[in-house]
């Protein structure tokens, strides 16, 4: 297992990533409903979820970075995929942080437009979705965070040396 930050042998990063994903999704929904209704409650919900999402993303990034920096073998395809995964998540974090900085002062009104919040949240959530795809690729294809059997450990060097390709096409043997 390549994860270096664990609790009782379980990697922490995948335990934490669900929180920002859910909060980022809720932020977008909050902005959408606010745009449709103009009710302050929905803007406040979007702001609150954005605060938790940004904080949760920062918290999840710490063990994720440690796993990438110290756990994944240098020069491996997984290292490259992990860097893309991190870059997209940082991009999403920046987009949601900009949204938060823009809207947090509107907690008690006055009413403000939701267009920027919708655009930033949608772009951030799109980045998060692609990053999630790459994160699952790290688990599924490169066994990051997976406890391997002795047979899998024997074959792991070949797995880690697999070249990165756009979308993996598995051929029948």
């Amino acid at each position: 297992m390549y994860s270096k930050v664990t609790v009782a042998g379980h990697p922490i990063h995948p335990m934490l990533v669900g929180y920002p994903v859910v909060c980022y999704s809720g932020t977008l929904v909050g902005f959408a409903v606010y745009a449709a209704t103009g009710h302050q409650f929905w803007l406040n919900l979007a702001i609150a979820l954005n605060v938790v999402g940004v904080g949760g993303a920062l918290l999840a990034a710490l063990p994720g970075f440690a796993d990438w920096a110290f756990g994944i073998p240098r020069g491996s395809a997984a290292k490259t995929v992990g860097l893309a995964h991190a870059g997209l998540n940082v991009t999403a974090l920046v987009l949601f942080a900009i949204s938060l900085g823009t809207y947090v002062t509107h907690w008690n009104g006055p009413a403000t437009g939701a267009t920027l919040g919708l655009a930033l949240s949608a772009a951030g959530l799109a980045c998060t979705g692609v990053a999630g795809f790459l994160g699952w690729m790290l688990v599924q294809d490169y066994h990051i965070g997976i406890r391997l059997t002795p047979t899998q450990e024997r074959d792991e060097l070949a797995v880690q040396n697999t070249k990165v390709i756009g979308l993996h096409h598995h051929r029948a043997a």
Side-chain angles (χ1 to χ4, degrees):
M1 175 164 48
Y2 299 100
S3 295
K4 296 299 180 189
V5 184
T6 63
V7 171
H10 299 283
I12 292 176
H13 178 68
M15 291 181 204
L16 297 176
V17 296
Y19 295 102
V21 171
V22 167
C23 290
Y24 285 173
S25 300
T27 298
L28 179 59
V29 169
F31 278 124
V33 177
Y34 174 67
T37 67
H39 293 195
Q40 185 69 33
F41 169 83
W42 295 104
L43 178 61
N44 289 357
L45 180 67
I47 293 168
L49 288 171
N50 204 351
V51 167
V52 176
V54 167
L58 289 169
L59 191 60
L62 297 174
F65 177 76
D67 288 346
W68 178 81
F70 305 114
I72 299 175
R74 286 189 184 148
S76 69
K79 197 75 157 184
T80 304
V81 172
L83 185 60
H85 170 75
L88 284 164
N89 278 318
V90 167
T91 300
L93 175 63
V94 168
L95 292 169
F96 278 96
I98 291 169
S99 173
L100 180 59
T102 302
Y103 286 94
V104 72
T105 58
H106 294 279
W107 183 267
N108 292 318
T112 187
T115 304
L116 181 62
L118 281 168
L120 291 170
S121 298
L125 196 57
C127 289
T128 300
V130 176
F133 175 85
L134 294 175
W136 186 247
M137 182 185 288
L138 289 168
V139 173
Q140 178 75 22
D141 296 343
Y142 301 110
H143 309 139
I144 306 303
I146 302 295
R147 194 173 300 123
L148 301 174
T149 66
T151 302
Q152 290 170 323
E153 284 182 14
R154 183 191 73 227
D155 297 335
E156 189 61 11
L157 184 60
V159 170
Q160 287 300 327
N161 288 325
T162 302
K163 292 184 183 224
V164 176
I165 58 175
L167 292 175
H168 293 288
H169 296 282
H170 298 287
R171 289 183 257 152

